Amino acid sequence: MQDKVPSPPPRRWSGPLLALALLALVGASFASLPLHFSAFFTADAVASVAEFIAGFAPPEMGAGFLRKTAIATAETLAMSAVGTLLAVAAGLLLAIPAAGRFGRPLRGAVRAVLNVLRSIPELVWASVLLIAAGLGPFPGTLALGAHTAGVLGRLFADALENATPLPEQSLRTNGATPMAAFFYATLPQTLPQMLSYTLYRWENNIRAAAILGVVGAGGLGQMLKYHLSLFQMQKAATVILAMLLLVALVDGASFWLRRKLTR
């Protein structure tokens, strides 16, 4: 007797409905915003932009100013590196309970903390911490660490939850303690992914550290705000070039490190 062909599974309409709702939201967003793209291409707008850009040339190349720019560049790099390291330490500590290793109630509570940390932008963190710690790179570094800890903590927790449980279970069955089984079985599985996340966030923190100086957190951003406010466009152009060079160098170094560490 020939077997019957199984009936097809019931069609789910939740996916298409969600896609339609998102398309409707995007359409409503464009319809509700007063977008005037043609204003960018008027003769007055083009002339104003050309005049503004011409004010940046040539960049300031005096030895004294280049020395100040180099010091600010090193400060921005240090802010991003220290902030990322603080975020890695805090994120890993929060990721373990956020992965459900101490029960579901604590998992939900820690994930809520991570949501709060990453939902507050770096500029807001810096503005709050500047009130407590004053001007300078210290509050900017803490702001980067606070926001990035929320991002990395969530990513690390998801990586731990998605790790294959069999190696850790095998070690536990053979008498290993829970902590030893975690460090010898689960953590090595997720470590390459965590390193990739960390390097990617370091790239982002370079850009964020340059921007945080606008609110007084030191580095290249503070120099840029100062010279732009005084309409010293040539000096501002040098600072912008230093930002671009720093981001390009860190992007290249991070890409090289990711390839070496995740092979």
Side-chain angles (χ1 to χ4, degrees):
M1 182 177 178
Q2 190 176 3
D3 294 336
K4 288 185 177 181
V5 178
S7 58
R11 183 184 296 272
R12 293 187 176 182
W13 294 99
S14 57
L17 288 176
L18 179 60
L20 288 174
L22 290 175
L23 287 174
L25 179 61
V26 171
S29 300
F30 276 96
S32 61
L33 292 175
L35 300 175
H36 302 290
F37 292 108
S38 60
F40 287 102
F41 304 102
T42 62
D44 291 340
V46 173
S48 298
V49 171
E51 182 181 358
F52 179 75
I53 294 176
F56 286 95
E60 174 64 44
M61 291 298 173
F65 187 75
L66 288 179
R67 191 179 305 112
K68 289 174 57 179
T69 305
I71 293 172
T73 302
E75 191 172 81
T76 299
L77 181 62
M79 286 171 57
S80 67
V82 175
T84 304
L85 288 175
L86 292 174
V88 169
L92 187 57
L93 289 175
L94 293 172
I96 296 174
R101 291 187 165 266
F102 299 105
R104 296 191 67 84
L106 189 58
R107 176 185 183 274
V110 175
R111 282 184 175 260
V113 172
L114 294 174
N115 289 339
V116 171
L117 288 174
R118 74 172 184 274
S119 64
I120 300 175
E122 295 96 332
L123 278 173
V124 178
W125 278 116
S127 300
V128 173
L129 293 169
L130 281 169
I131 299 173
L135 298 175
F138 179 61
T141 303
L142 294 181
L144 291 174
H147 177 79
T148 309
V151 176
L152 290 181
R154 173 61 186 273
L155 293 174
F156 290 172
D158 290 344
L160 291 174
E161 282 190 329
N162 294 329
T164 305
L166 185 59
E168 183 173 349
Q169 292 173 0
S170 300
L171 289 179
R172 293 289 306 277
T173 303
N174 286 279
T177 62
M179 188 66 69
F182 172 76
F183 279 107
Y184 282 98
T186 302
L187 189 60
Q189 290 183 65
T190 59
L191 194 57
Q193 192 174 5
M194 290 181 178
L195 287 172
S196 182
Y197 288 146
T198 300
L199 291 172
Y200 177 69
R201 287 304 307 181
W202 182 39
E203 295 176 23
N204 291 340
N205 283 344
I206 285 287
R207 303 176 183 89
I211 296 171
L212 287 181
V214 174
V215 295
L220 289 171
Q222 189 165 339
M223 282 189 70
L224 182 63
K225 178 188 177 184
Y226 175 77
H227 293 298
L228 283 178
S229 64
L230 296 178
F231 297 99
Q232 297 173 349
M233 299 304 182
Q234 295 175 341
K235 292 184 176 181
T238 303
V239 177
I240 293 172
L241 289 175
M243 286 181 176
L244 295 175
L245 180 61
L246 179 61
V247 170
L249 289 175
V250 171
D251 283 352
S254 177
F255 176 74
W256 181 80
L257 284 172
R258 279 204 306 270
R259 292 191 63 182
K260 291 292 183 182
L261 295 173
T262 58
R263 278 181 177 177

